[in-house]
Amino acid sequence: MGIILLLNGNAGAQEFFKPDPHYNPGRVNGIVFAEAALGTAVTIGLNYLWYKKFPRSPFHLFNDNNEWLNMDKMGHATTAYNIAAIQGDLLRWGGVKQGVASMAGTLTALGFMTMIEIMDGHSAKWGFSEGDMLANIAGCLLYEGQQLMWGQQRISLKYSYHHTLFAHYAPGELGSNLQERMLKDYNGQTYWLSVNIGSFLPAASSFPKWLNLSAGYGAEGMIGGVKNPTEINGQPIPEFKRYRQFYFGLDADLYRIDGLSPLSSTLLKVNRTIKFPAPVLEWNEVDGTKWYWIYF
């Protein structure tokens, strides 16, 4: 709370982070140039630091709908949704009208995710995944649909991660350090559909505007995409049961707290992408029902 008060007191920062009520060409041009540079860097980085390691092939399709208990599809939808939301917010900050900003955010997300799929389509190890593309479209539609219906985001897709033991057995596949595992170890990832209750209530309601209900999906026991290997590089792998996990619990949109400054609200919007640690109920076919006072 002390940090938030400190941020609230910085008048210069407040003015900078406040969305412009009118079209601001300086801000919009800055966004376009910065994103063009970032997009170029990401494309070059992916091409030469990742795809270059694997053999190329003519463009082809690849059906991976039976891999990773569909955790990869949840990741695609969540990524597409959040790229659209962030882009929409940036353009609104630049004074772009809401309808135009949201549509541009949706098209930006869809374009970026499609570029990734096209690059996959030219890699012999993967291919253009129609399932991934449908997930990308679903994430974009969740964002754009809410903008058209309500002019705001009442339902968001969020991500959380916790450490698991599975990456130890397959660091090449699931990551050898924290940064890699947060991206590659589907066993430790959970994806959340987070519903802001207050945004569905009358404006005069005293219900906390930041409190959410959240439904999550996860999976565990996965060493490989479709099935687990019995050994890797001559090292035996224990037998793990692959199973899905379903969660229900509380969440928070901290940027909705009353009285926040533009700077505080902007910084706290990272919480729109990452779930807030909170009490959660889990059900899975192995352990049945489990309760966590704090789950992330």
Coordinates of all heavy atoms in Angstrom, one line a residue, residues 10 12 14 16 21 23 37 41 62 65 99 101 115 123 150 153 162 169 190 220 224 235 242 244-245 285-286 288 294:
N10 N 3.3 11.0 -7.4 CA 4.2 11.4 -8.5 C 3.4 12.1 -9.6 O 2.9 11.4 -10.5 CB 5.0 10.2 -9.0 CG 6.1 10.7 -10.0 OD1 6.0 11.7 -10.7 ND2 7.2 9.9 -10.0
G12 N 4.0 14.0 -12.2 CA 4.4 13.9 -13.6 C 4.1 12.6 -14.2 O 3.7 12.5 -15.3
Q14 N 1.8 10.6 -13.2 CA 0.3 10.4 -13.3 C -0.2 11.0 -14.6 O -1.0 10.4 -15.3 CB -0.4 11.1 -12.2 CG 0.0 10.7 -10.8 CD 0.2 9.2 -10.6 OE1 -0.6 8.4 -11.1 NE2 1.3 8.8 -10.0
F16 N 1.6 11.4 -17.4 CA 2.0 10.6 -18.5 C 1.2 9.3 -18.7 O 0.9 8.9 -19.9 CB 3.5 10.2 -18.3 CG 4.1 9.4 -19.4 CD1 4.5 9.9 -20.6 CD2 4.2 8.0 -19.2 CE1 5.0 9.1 -21.6 CE2 4.7 7.2 -20.2 CZ 5.1 7.8 -21.4
P21 N -7.7 11.9 -23.7 CA -9.1 11.9 -24.2 C -9.2 12.2 -25.7 O -10.3 12.0 -26.3 CB -9.8 13.0 -23.4 CG -8.6 13.9 -23.0 CD -7.4 13.0 -22.8
Y23 N -7.1 12.2 -29.7 CA -6.1 11.5 -30.5 C -4.8 12.2 -30.3 O -4.6 13.4 -30.5 CB -6.5 11.5 -31.9 CG -5.4 10.8 -32.8 CD1 -5.3 9.4 -32.8 CD2 -4.6 11.5 -33.6 CE1 -4.4 8.7 -33.6 CE2 -3.6 10.9 -34.4 CZ -3.5 9.5 -34.4 OH -2.6 8.9 -35.2
A37 N 9.7 -2.2 -34.1 CA 11.0 -2.6 -33.8 C 11.0 -3.9 -33.0 O 11.8 -4.8 -33.2 CB 11.7 -1.5 -33.0
A41 N 12.4 -7.6 -34.0 CA 13.4 -8.2 -33.2 C 12.9 -9.6 -32.8 O 13.7 -10.6 -32.8 CB 13.7 -7.4 -31.9
F62 N -0.1 -29.6 -39.4 CA 0.3 -30.6 -38.4 C -0.8 -30.7 -37.3 O -1.2 -29.6 -36.8 CB 1.6 -30.1 -37.7 CG 2.1 -31.0 -36.6 CD1 2.4 -32.3 -36.8 CD2 2.2 -30.5 -35.3 CE1 2.9 -33.1 -35.8 CE2 2.7 -31.3 -34.3 CZ 3.0 -32.6 -34.5
N65 N -3.5 -31.9 -31.8 CA -4.6 -31.8 -30.8 C -4.6 -32.8 -29.7 O -5.3 -32.6 -28.7 CB -6.0 -31.8 -31.6 CG -6.2 -30.7 -32.5 OD1 -5.7 -29.6 -32.3 ND2 -7.0 -30.9 -33.5
G99 N -13.6 1.8 -30.2 CA -13.9 0.7 -31.2 C -12.7 0.4 -32.1 O -12.4 -0.7 -32.4
A101 N -9.5 1.1 -31.4 CA -8.4 0.6 -30.5 C -8.6 -0.9 -30.3 O -7.7 -1.7 -30.4 CB -8.3 1.3 -29.2
M115 N 1.6 -15.4 -37.5 CA 3.0 -15.4 -37.9 C 3.8 -16.5 -37.3 O 4.5 -17.2 -38.0 CB 3.7 -14.1 -37.6 CG 5.2 -14.0 -37.9 SD 6.1 -12.7 -37.1 CE 6.1 -13.3 -35.4
S123 N 8.6 -25.6 -40.5 CA 9.6 -26.3 -39.7 C 9.2 -27.8 -39.8 O 8.1 -28.2 -39.6 CB 9.5 -25.9 -38.2 OG 10.4 -26.7 -37.4
W150 N -19.9 -4.9 -24.1 CA -19.9 -4.1 -22.9 C -18.9 -2.9 -22.9 O -19.0 -2.0 -22.0 CB -19.5 -5.0 -21.7 CG -20.4 -6.2 -21.5 CD1 -21.7 -6.2 -21.5 CD2 -20.0 -7.5 -21.3 NE1 -22.2 -7.4 -21.3 CE2 -21.1 -8.3 -21.2 CE3 -18.7 -8.1 -21.2 CZ2 -21.1 -9.7 -20.9 CZ3 -18.7 -9.5 -20.9 CH2 -19.9 -10.3 -20.8
Q153 N -13.6 -5.2 -20.4 CA -13.3 -6.6 -20.2 C -13.8 -7.0 -18.8 O -13.3 -6.6 -17.8 CB -11.8 -6.8 -20.3 CG -11.2 -6.5 -21.7 CD -11.8 -7.4 -22.7 OE1 -11.6 -8.7 -22.7 NE2 -12.6 -6.8 -23.7
H162 N 3.7 -22.8 -11.1 CA 4.4 -23.3 -9.9 C 5.4 -24.4 -10.3 O 5.2 -25.1 -11.3 CB 3.4 -23.9 -8.9 CG 2.5 -25.0 -9.4 ND1 1.4 -24.8 -10.1 CD2 2.7 -26.4 -9.3 CE1 0.9 -26.0 -10.5 NE2 1.7 -27.0 -10.0
Y169 N 13.3 -34.5 -15.2 CA 13.6 -35.7 -16.0 C 13.7 -35.3 -17.5 O 14.3 -36.2 -18.2 CB 12.4 -36.6 -15.8 CG 12.3 -37.1 -14.4 CD1 11.3 -36.6 -13.5 CD2 13.1 -38.1 -13.9 CE1 11.2 -37.0 -12.2 CE2 13.0 -38.6 -12.6 CZ 12.0 -38.0 -11.8 OH 11.9 -38.5 -10.5
T190 N -1.0 -23.2 -15.1 CA -2.5 -23.2 -14.9 C -3.1 -22.0 -15.7 O -2.5 -20.9 -15.6 CB -2.9 -23.2 -13.4 OG1 -2.2 -24.1 -12.7 CG2 -4.4 -23.4 -13.3
E220 N -1.0 -32.6 -15.2 CA 0.3 -33.1 -14.6 C 0.6 -34.5 -15.2 O -0.2 -35.1 -15.8 CB 0.2 -33.1 -13.1 CG 0.5 -31.8 -12.4 CD 0.9 -31.9 -11.0 OE1 1.1 -33.1 -10.5 OE2 0.9 -30.9 -10.3
G224 N 6.3 -36.1 -22.1 CA 6.2 -36.0 -23.5 C 4.9 -35.4 -24.0 O 3.9 -35.4 -23.2
Q235 N 18.7 -42.6 -19.4 CA 18.3 -42.5 -18.0 C 16.8 -42.9 -17.9 O 15.9 -42.4 -18.6 CB 18.4 -41.1 -17.5 CG 19.9 -40.5 -17.5 CD 20.7 -41.4 -16.5 OE1 20.3 -41.7 -15.4 NE2 21.9 -41.7 -17.0
R242 N -0.7 -39.4 -16.5 CA -1.1 -38.1 -17.0 C -2.5 -37.8 -16.7 O -3.4 -38.7 -17.0 CB -0.8 -38.2 -18.6 CG 0.6 -38.5 -18.9 CD 0.7 -39.0 -20.4 NE 0.3 -38.0 -21.3 CZ 1.2 -37.1 -22.0 NH1 2.5 -37.2 -21.7 NH2 0.8 -36.3 -22.8
R244 N -5.7 -34.5 -16.0 CA -6.2 -33.2 -16.0 C -6.6 -32.7 -14.6 O -7.0 -33.5 -13.8 CB -7.4 -33.0 -17.0 CG -7.1 -33.5 -18.4 CD -8.4 -33.5 -19.2 NE -8.2 -34.3 -20.5 CZ -7.8 -33.7 -21.6 NH1 -7.5 -32.4 -21.7 NH2 -7.6 -34.4 -22.7
Q245 N -6.5 -31.4 -14.4 CA -6.8 -30.8 -13.1 C -7.8 -29.6 -13.4 O -7.7 -28.9 -14.3 CB -5.6 -30.2 -12.5 CG -4.5 -31.2 -12.2 CD -3.2 -30.6 -11.9 OE1 -2.7 -29.8 -12.7 NE2 -2.6 -31.0 -10.8
E285 N -8.8 -36.6 -11.2 CA -9.3 -38.0 -11.2 C -8.3 -38.9 -10.3 O -8.7 -40.0 -9.9 CB -9.3 -38.6 -12.5 CG -8.0 -38.7 -13.3 CD -8.1 -39.3 -14.6 OE1 -8.1 -40.6 -14.7 OE2 -8.1 -38.6 -15.6
V286 N -7.2 -38.4 -10.0 CA -6.2 -39.1 -9.1 C -6.4 -38.9 -7.6 O -6.5 -39.8 -6.8 CB -4.8 -38.8 -9.5 CG1 -3.8 -39.4 -8.6 CG2 -4.5 -39.2 -11.0
G288 N -8.9 -36.7 -6.4 CA -10.2 -36.3 -6.0 C -10.2 -34.8 -5.7 O -9.6 -34.0 -6.5
I294 N -3.8 -21.0 -0.3 CA -3.2 -20.1 -1.3 C -2.7 -21.0 -2.4 O -1.9 -21.9 -2.2 CB -2.1 -19.3 -0.7 CG1 -2.6 -18.4 0.4 CG2 -1.4 -18.5 -1.8 CD1 -3.5 -17.3 -0.1

